[in-house]
Amino acid sequence: DAGVIQSPRHEVTEMGQEVTLRCKPISGHDYLFWYRQTMMRGLELLIYFNNNVPIDDSGMPEDRFSAKMPNASFSTLKIQPSEPRDSAVYFCASSSSTRGRTQYFGPGTRLLVL
Amino acid sequence: GQNIDQPTEMTATEGAIVQINCTYQTSGFNGLFWYQQHAGEAPTFLSYNVLDGLEEKGRFSSFLSRSKGYSYLLLKELQMKDSASYLCASSTGGGNKLTFGTGTQLKVEL
């Protein structure tokens, strides 16, 4: 079975540009999570969805960040405009409420904002 | 609120046993996860404890005491490939929302 798929794997952009990160969860999973990891703050939950509906976005740092899940197999995290402090690794994870609830992580997107 | 504490770094010798402790203060707690993360890679699932006691899985075991807000991960017969960061995470809510500790960087030496 394919794991969680994220794209792009690496992104370098300039301050002020829009950045879109993409995620395809494991087929059949009904929960999807977006995390951000930095050396200073560790792994932080940004937002999570259940059955494509956002449940908790309290971790989204500010209005520049938005996330959508238009269907069960696709989600995006958008940063507009991007700032250097957004530089981090962004992970997507998915889990199933009927199969143990363990979260499985994608490979991550390394974002560098210059 | 949520608060997870674990040591920042540990060093151990190949073939030895190491115990990584984690304490948590979490409202709505329903379980404790351990993940392993190698440098430059994604976290991978190791164990999940819901009830008090020890869960054994090969060389790795995890323990939970809900009354004490305490867990540990025990790694036996250490191998060089076990050098990694070990993340403790408390789970809350119906969706198993995870709050992660900052991770314990384990270095295994010859």
Side-chain angles (χ1 to χ4, degrees):
Chain A
D1 287 341
V4 176
I5 298 172
Q6 291 186 247
S7 65
R9 295 292 304 276
H10 301 272
E11 177 83 21
V12 180
T13 190
E14 292 187 343
M15 183 174 62
Q17 297 298 304
E18 178 180 293
V19 175
T20 300
L21 311 181
R22 298 172 176 80
C23 175
K24 177 180 170 57
I26 294 171
S27 178
H29 281 192
D30 54 346
Y31 281 89
L32 184 139
F33 305 81
W34 282 102
Y35 291 89
R36 177 173 68 177
Q37 187 173 40
T38 61
M39 289 294 292
M40 291 297 296
R41 300 175 65 90
L43 193 59
E44 302 174 283
L45 177 66
L46 300 177
I47 185 172
Y48 77 94
F49 296 82
N50 176 222
N51 291 323
N52 314 338
V53 176
I55 303 301
D56 185 345
D57 66 354
S58 60
M60 295 286 263
E62 48 197 274
D63 292 345
R64 296 186 298 107
F65 285 69
S66 62
K68 295 182 180 179
M69 192 165 185
N71 57 62
S73 58
F74 184 66
S75 177
T76 60
L77 178 68
K78 187 172 293 187
I79 309 172
Q80 166 64 15
S82 58
E83 296 182 3
R85 60 187 167 134
D86 301 330
S87 298
V89 181
Y90 291 81
F91 288 105
C92 176
S94 70
S95 68
S96 168
S97 59
T98 58
R99 282 181 268 159
R101 296 187 174 182
T102 296
Q103 291 185 26
Y104 297 92
F105 284 75
T109 296
R110 290 184 175 276
L111 173 65
L112 177 61
V113 183
L114 301 174
Chain B
Q2 324 293 348
N3 189 37
I4 313 287
D5 286 314
Q6 53 182 131
T8 303
E9 296 179 336
M10 298 184 72
T11 301
T13 304
E14 189 179 36
I17 299 172
V18 70
Q19 178 174 313
I20 303 174
N21 297 323
C22 171
T23 58
Y24 63 90
Q25 293 174 313
T26 303
S27 55
F29 176 84
N30 59 31
L32 196 291
F33 284 84
W34 284 95
Y35 280 80
Q36 180 191 59
Q37 186 176 25
H38 285 100
E41 299 183 8
T44 55
F45 169 74
L46 288 179
S47 67
Y48 177 41
N49 292 67
V50 177
L51 302 175
D52 285 1
L54 189 67
E55 295 275 346
E56 297 187 76
K57 192 186 297 184
R59 293 190 299 115
F60 292 7
S61 302
S62 57
F63 172 84
L64 177 66
S65 169
R66 295 175 72 113
S67 62
K68 295 182 179 178
Y70 169 68
S71 174
Y72 68 72
L73 180 69
L74 193 71
L75 291 77
K76 304 175 187 175
E77 301 169 15
L78 280 172
Q79 303 175 9
M80 297 299 288
K81 67 178 182 179
D82 297 329
S83 293
S85 181
Y86 291 85
L87 303 166
C88 170
S90 66
S91 170
T92 58
N96 273 15
K97 176 180 176 179
L98 296 183
T99 300
F100 282 87
T102 53
T104 298
Q105 188 66 44
L106 174 66
K107 182 178 179 182
V108 180
E109 299 178 329
L110 291 172

